[in-house]
Amino acid sequence: MRTSIAPKDTGPLQKREAKLAWGMLAPTLISASLVVILPLIAIFWISFKPIGLADLRVPTPKVYERIRGDFNQAGDEAELQYRLTNSSPKEAITGVTMRDVLPEGMTILQLDQRCTLEGRNLFCDFGDLEPGYRERIKIPFSANQAFIDADPNPRDSVAQLTGSSNSVLFDATFTLDNFIKIFDGREFWKVIGVTVFYAVFGTIGALVVGLFAALLLNKSFRGQGILRGLFLFPYVAPVIAVAFTWVTLFDPFSGSANALLIQMGALDQPINFFGQAPQALIMVTVFEIWRYFPMSFLFILARMQSIDTDMYEAADMDGASPFQKFWYLSMPQLLGIISVLFLLRFIWTFNKFDDIFLLTGGSAGTRTLTVSVYEQAFAISNIGAGAAVAVVIFAILVVFSFFFFKYGSQEEGL
Amino acid sequence: MSLLRYGYVVGTIIGLLWGMTVSVCVAIGLSLLTGAAATPGLLAAMPAGAIAALVLLLAKNKQASWLFAGSIATLTGAVLLMLRFGQPFGISLEINTTGQILALVIFALGTALPLAKFLKGIPFGALSRHEFEEAIIRFLTGFGYVFFTAIVAIPFFVMIMTSFKSQQALLANPLDYSLDFSKGWDLFRSYVELFRDFNFGQYLVTSFFVSVMTVLITLLFSVPGAYAVARLRFKGQAMMSRSILLIYMVPMIVLALPIYIVFSMVGLRNSILGILLIYPVTTIPVALYMLQGYFRGLPAEIEEAGLMDGLSRLKVIWQITLPLSLPAIASVSLYVFMIGWNEFLLAFMLLDDPSKFTLTRGVAMLNSSEIPRQHLMAGSVIATIPIMLIFLGLERFMTKGLTAGSVKG
């Protein structure tokens, strides 16, 4: 009897299918690499660059022209001035030339050596401008009557400037200064500590609160749908709205929370919840728990509702108490989703930027790594240092993802 | 533990705690709604709860007749009234009398009725382990409902009510959220000013446009991709379905920095086009992941039948798979819409020109010391209401969308 054997190499049909698959994935892959992978490469590149926010603009020469002097009658002398600057404090501009059309009725008395005049067309070749260069080019002239009558503005014809300079972004200067700067000092380790506190307690808190909420709603009663909807509010509302609401609510002067605590006799003095060192970090963590417990709640509830009820009936027969049922029956079933949620939420909390940025702006001891990226790049205008922090974040995330794939993927199919 | 397992011990503890919970809630509610300086008076409310619990236990708590429940409630209220010398909330009853009486009734009923439920079937003396745990769990459940409702509702209540107040009123008494209806339409002044002077009508339109376009582009990219990952066989299929989620783990701020640099150089900053180039890419991975989970669950036989009858793959997707997965597509669309609508970081970094703001960026603009608080809260309400309306209307889809693909169940 012959046994049929599957063909080993890929047949034409299979090849066509693979081709179609890649074709259908191509738009996603291309867009993802453009917006994710290229920026990641760029971050690595920039992190080794001595670059600030101002360096993003390629330095260009600038000129300002004006006429100095009084003239009342034909033949009076005055000066045409060009103020030439290179505003970049670091970069030279090479091959700078200027073209301008002079107003009518000027008799040039003496021309700068670097300039030539053909009819009314002025052309100057200034060569290279050093960083921070500024010079006033003075061209004395005498005006005739037509000039005085017209009283022209020299800026009516705009002076055309050329000149090139290399931007720091693309040249070959590299430096380790950014990394040295961010690792230097205790500040960095403080930031790491804050980030870990925020991520660990924010994640665990959201999971525990979410589990409790799921236990509450894991039975059908009237109003269950309404409560479930209500519990999801913090997660669905725009972060900016709820963050500002919290800031308003906990304001030391006009916030209801302080007023309430004082009225109830729990406090003597209003507390600056988001403005002082220890409590600000606790408050942003509480906010994180408040905002993201609905997510844990949803996933855990979905898992709970899919647990077979037979098991509980059997346990009832055996006389298990409610806590025993929860601990010995429900928990083992929920461990899978809880561990996956822990990993996911830990990574997301670690990555979170908006919440802290909106609540405290990273002040009062709440600066996490992600807020530090923004702080370095935009507040201190040191893009290179910001990128270096981003690289550090990325390195930590690679480690996380490794764990995620190693331990997370066997459970729950994530 | 065994010391605790007596009806009167458990009853007293639950009564004390529940009396405290209800009185704090009622006092907070009374303060916020009327502006009166109400205090909970725990030293009176806790014994009131405990007495109610003990009476319930002694009366065997047999039938929950209305008369019985009513008399327990009356007793609870009377105890509170007595222990606080006729001032149930620490303020003279002459201030806002109707409000206080109403609050007292709510306290009495809110203490007695749930307690009757918590302690149903619990004997006065020794308890079995079942009865003990049952009572504790019932109490914790009741407490949980109150606790969660309060922590979710209070911030939203404050957001809405602050938008109707004036700065002076807020500073004078931060607890007074009573509405002064005599002001009439003037209550909505912050909203009128936002729409008239701050261009919020346009921000609404921009946000809506951006979110809808994000949904469309995301679907356009992720539906074929998800189908390929779920159904077609090719090398790297397994790797692809996993690594697509990796993109979701790159923090936005890390990407935002180079995107900001590139957009500054090519002039895409301050343009809706630039935003539309970025937003979908942040949502495609998760949409693809959710959809492929759903596609896998669809029976392959129907599609194979279609293939047999001579339809091409693309036609199969268009005519068979897509109509079958409309619920999943609705969920994913809602989820993506929510992400697009709520997105803040990129809008904040990339948009500087007030004529091009999205709603979240517009609200961020209101956070300055020169603009009064109620404007900021009114802006927050405007940003929250549309997404909430959509959410409440389509909650079933939304919850499914939020959990889709990640729970095998």
Side-chain angles (χ1 to χ4, degrees):
Chain A
M1 207 180 102
R2 279 186 60 187
T3 48
S4 47
I5 301 165
K8 276 195 184 118
D9 51 340
T10 47
L13 217 59
Q14 218 170 340
K15 267 186 194 146
R16 219 170 59 198
E17 193 169 310
K19 220 173 175 182
L20 181 68
W22 285 111
M24 286 163 86
L25 271 170
T28 302
L29 293 179
I30 292 169
S31 63
S33 51
L34 273 179
V35 181
V36 177
I37 296 170
L38 276 188
L40 282 181
I41 296 170
I43 276 285
F44 274 93
W45 176 267
I46 297 165
S47 69
F48 291 104
K49 288 272 173 194
I51 181 173
L53 205 53
D55 297 323
L56 288 186
R57 262 175 275 125
V58 178
T60 48
K62 289 192 183 56
V63 74
Y64 176 80
E65 36 183 326
R66 62 174 179 181
I67 287 172
R68 253 341 209 348
D70 294 325
F71 26 83
N72 302 316
Q73 58 193 50
D76 278 358
E77 289 183 13
E79 245 179 20
L80 176 64
Q81 294 186 346
Y82 288 97
R83 201 164 65 208
L84 185 68
T85 51
N86 170 9
S87 54
S88 163
K90 280 193 255 172
E91 289 297 314
I93 306 175
T94 53
V96 178
T97 64
M98 180 181 80
R99 275 174 209 284
D100 196 15
V101 181
L102 300 182
E104 262 178 278
M106 290 169 65
T107 313
I108 302 297
L109 299 176
Q110 192 194 350
L111 202 57
D112 194 282
Q113 287 157 348
R114 294 164 291 183
C115 299
T116 52
L117 188 64
E118 276 176 45
R120 284 164 52 211
N121 294 325
L122 179 74
F123 174 78
C124 303
D125 184 355
F126 297 115
D128 300 348
L129 304 188
E130 290 148 33
Y133 182 88
R134 53 183 67 235
E135 186 194 355
R136 201 166 282 176
I137 294 126
K138 297 172 181 169
I139 303 174
F141 68 96
S142 68
N144 67 15
Q145 195 58 46
F147 182 87
I148 292 166
D149 292 342
D151 192 16
N153 185 342
R155 268 159 277 163
D156 286 346
S157 75
V158 180
Q160 306 289 330
L161 283 161
T162 61
S164 60
S165 82
N166 48 350
S167 159
V168 203
L169 202 51
F170 300 113
D171 67 8
T173 48
F174 291 98
T175 169
L176 280 173
D177 283 357
N178 296 322
F179 288 96
I180 294 169
K181 187 167 170 269
I182 62 160
F183 282 114
D184 194 28
R186 246 179 262 148
E187 182 63 24
F188 181 76
W189 298 108
K190 215 179 122 196
V191 168
I192 295 268
V194 168
T195 312
V196 168
F197 178 93
Y198 180 65
V200 169
F201 287 96
T203 307
I204 294 177
L207 275 176
V208 171
V209 176
L211 177 66
F212 192 50
L215 283 171
L216 284 183
L217 289 191
N218 188 28
K219 51 186 107 172
S220 48
F221 55 92
R222 224 174 341 130
Q224 192 231 21
I226 296 172
L227 271 186
R228 192 177 58 184
L230 183 75
F231 284 11
L232 291 177
F233 266 29
Y235 185 55
V236 177
V239 56
I240 186 156
V242 286
F244 284 146
T245 305
W246 272 57
V247 172
T248 308
L249 187 59
F250 289 100
D251 188 278
F253 305 110
S254 63
S256 310
N258 270 310
L260 205 60
L261 287 172
I262 290 174
Q263 183 180 312
M264 308 267 164
L267 282 182
D268 299 327
Q269 291 262 304
I271 296 182
N272 194 352
F273 282 104
F274 284 114
Q276 271 167 7
Q279 63 263 39
L281 181 58
I282 294 169
M283 283 306 290
V284 293
T285 313
V286 170
F287 179 81
E288 174 76 16
I289 295 171
W290 178 80
R291 188 161 144 69
Y292 292 101
F293 87 83
M295 192 196 151
S296 318
F297 151 72
L298 256 190
F299 281 87
I300 294 174
L301 184 63
R303 185 73 188 86
M304 273 179 179
Q305 286 173 343
S306 70
I307 296 178
D308 212 346
T309 48
D310 294 354
M311 206 165 65
Y312 294 105
E313 282 162 22
D316 280 336
M317 301 296 277
D318 291 343
S321 77
F323 279 118
Q324 282 173 327
K325 276 193 281 183
F326 169 70
W327 191 251
Y328 294 109
L329 296 182
S330 306
M331 268 319 260
Q333 298 274 321
L334 295 177
L335 266 186
I337 187 72
I338 288 179
S339 64
V340 169
L341 274 175
F342 180 83
L343 270 170
L344 265 182
R345 281 249 45 95
F346 187 81
I347 292 173
W348 284 340
T349 312
F350 188 87
N351 287 347
K352 207 76 213 141
F353 167 80
D354 312 27
D355 303 33
I356 292 187
F357 179 70
L358 288 170
L359 288 171
T360 66
S363 63
T366 57
R367 190 181 305 155
T368 56
L369 276 171
T370 45
V371 176
S372 187
V373 173
Y374 183 89
E375 192 104 319
Q376 296 282 358
F378 294 98
I380 312 178
S381 299
N382 189 346
I383 287 203
V389 181
V391 167
V392 172
I393 295 178
F394 190 71
I396 297 174
L397 278 176
V398 169
V399 177
F400 285 161
S401 319
F402 172 76
F403 280 106
F404 181 74
F405 274 115
K406 189 131 193 257
Y407 300 108
S409 51
Q410 293 110 9
E411 312 282 349
E412 301 305 320
L414 254 180
Chain B
M1 213 52 182
S2 58
L3 266 177
L4 275 173
R5 261 200 239 155
Y6 290 94
Y8 53 87
V9 180
V10 174
T12 311
I13 294 174
I14 289 181
L16 288 172
L17 292 176
W18 188 248
M20 178 174 92
T21 313
V22 177
S23 72
V24 168
C25 287
V26 170
I28 291 177
L30 190 64
S31 302
L32 292 183
L33 289 173
T34 66
T39 54
L42 298 182
L43 283 180
M46 288 170 73
I51 289 171
L54 288 175
V55 173
L56 276 165
L57 285 178
L58 275 176
K60 286 272 169 25
N61 196 11
K62 266 183 216 140
Q63 308 100 326
S65 78
W66 284 107
L67 194 68
F68 180 63
S71 47
I72 298 285
T74 316
L75 173 75
T76 319
V79 171
L80 180 78
L81 205 56
M82 212 172 64
L83 286 177
R84 294 203 85 182
F85 311 112
Q87 296 185 354
F89 299 102
I91 38 177
S92 162
L93 265 178
E94 276 155 41
I95 308 167
N96 209 321
T97 314
T98 39
Q100 284 207 59
I101 288 174
L102 201 65
L104 183 61
V105 172
I106 292 174
F107 169 78
L109 291 175
T111 308
L113 297 187
L115 271 178
K117 220 167 186 186
F118 298 159
L119 299 173
K120 202 171 172 190
I122 305 291
F124 191 78
L127 297 182
S128 74
R129 181 169 180 177
H130 270 251
E131 288 164 335
F132 173 71
E133 289 185 5
E134 200 64 50
I136 303 259
I137 284 177
R138 284 195 216 135
F139 164 71
L140 285 179
T141 310
F143 178 78
Y145 290 140
V146 173
F147 175 75
F148 279 104
T149 308
I151 61 165
V152 172
I154 287 178
F156 287 95
F157 173 83
V158 166
M159 184 203 293
I160 294 171
M161 288 314 197
T162 308
S163 69
F164 293 126
K165 309 284 304 183
S166 69
Q167 189 90 341
Q168 297 93 305
L170 267 183
L171 275 171
N173 182 2
L175 280 180
D176 185 5
Y177 285 106
S178 57
L179 288 181
D180 183 5
F181 285 108
S182 63
K183 283 203 286 186
W185 286 108
D186 209 33
L187 273 178
F188 292 94
R189 217 170 104 194
S190 307
Y191 293 90
V192 172
E193 278 172 16
L194 283 185
F195 279 106
R196 195 186 55 209
D197 307 333
F198 289 92
N199 224 352
F200 260 61
Q202 205 202 320
Y203 299 165
L204 259 177
V205 174
T206 308
S207 254
F208 195 76
F209 174 74
V210 166
S211 309
V212 169
M213 286 306 285
T214 306
V215 170
L216 293 181
I217 299 171
T218 303
L219 286 182
L220 199 69
F221 279 57
S222 59
V223 167
Y227 186 85
V229 171
R231 274 278 188 273
L232 304 178
R233 275 158 301 165
F234 59 99
K235 260 189 209 139
Q237 183 195 22
M239 189 204 74
M240 196 60 73
S241 71
R242 273 188 188 181
S243 59
I244 209 77
L245 214 63
L246 264 190
I247 296 178
Y248 217 51
M249 300 193 177
V250 181
M252 212 51 234
I253 184 81
V254 170
L255 300 183
L257 189 58
I259 288 170
Y260 175 87
I261 295 172
V262 172
F263 275 24
S264 312
M265 293 201 302
V266 296
L268 274 172
R269 251 178 74 206
N270 270 324
S271 75
I272 297 299
L273 177 70
I275 291 285
L276 282 181
L277 285 178
I278 298 295
Y279 276 17
V281 184
T282 63
T283 53
I284 285 171
V286 73
L288 202 157
Y289 189 79
M290 287 169 155
L291 283 174
Q292 59 113 13
Y294 190 84
F295 287 160
R296 278 208 183 134
L298 290 177
E301 290 80 9
I302 312 176
E303 289 171 27
E304 279 159 15
L307 284 174
M308 287 301 210
D309 288 345
L311 287 178
S312 70
R313 269 288 178 190
L314 295 179
K315 275 220 166 124
V316 166
I317 298 177
W318 186 249
Q319 294 185 349
I320 298 175
T321 315
L322 277 189
L324 279 177
S325 37
L326 273 183
I329 290 183
S331 303
V332 171
S333 304
L334 270 175
Y335 186 53
V336 171
F337 185 90
M338 184 188 101
I339 296 180
W341 184 271
N342 291 350
E343 207 289 329
F344 161 72
L345 171 61
L346 286 169
F348 180 73
M349 284 177 84
L350 297 178
L351 300 177
D352 296 325
D353 176 359
S355 70
K356 301 222 170 71
F357 281 177
T358 60
L359 206 47
T360 48
R361 181 67 184 88
V363 176
M365 172 189 72
L366 297 177
N367 182 30
S368 101
S369 52
E370 286 137 44
I371 296 173
R373 268 284 121 132
Q374 68 269 24
H375 280 53
L376 180 64
M377 288 297 105
S380 301
V381 172
I382 295 172
T384 309
I385 281 183
I387 194 79
M388 284 302 177
L389 286 182
I390 292 174
F391 170 71
L392 287 178
L394 303 165
E395 194 244 326
R396 229 153 254 290
F397 282 123
M398 195 85 155
T399 43
K400 211 183 258 161
L402 291 171
T403 50
S406 344
V407 184
K408 263 204 271 173

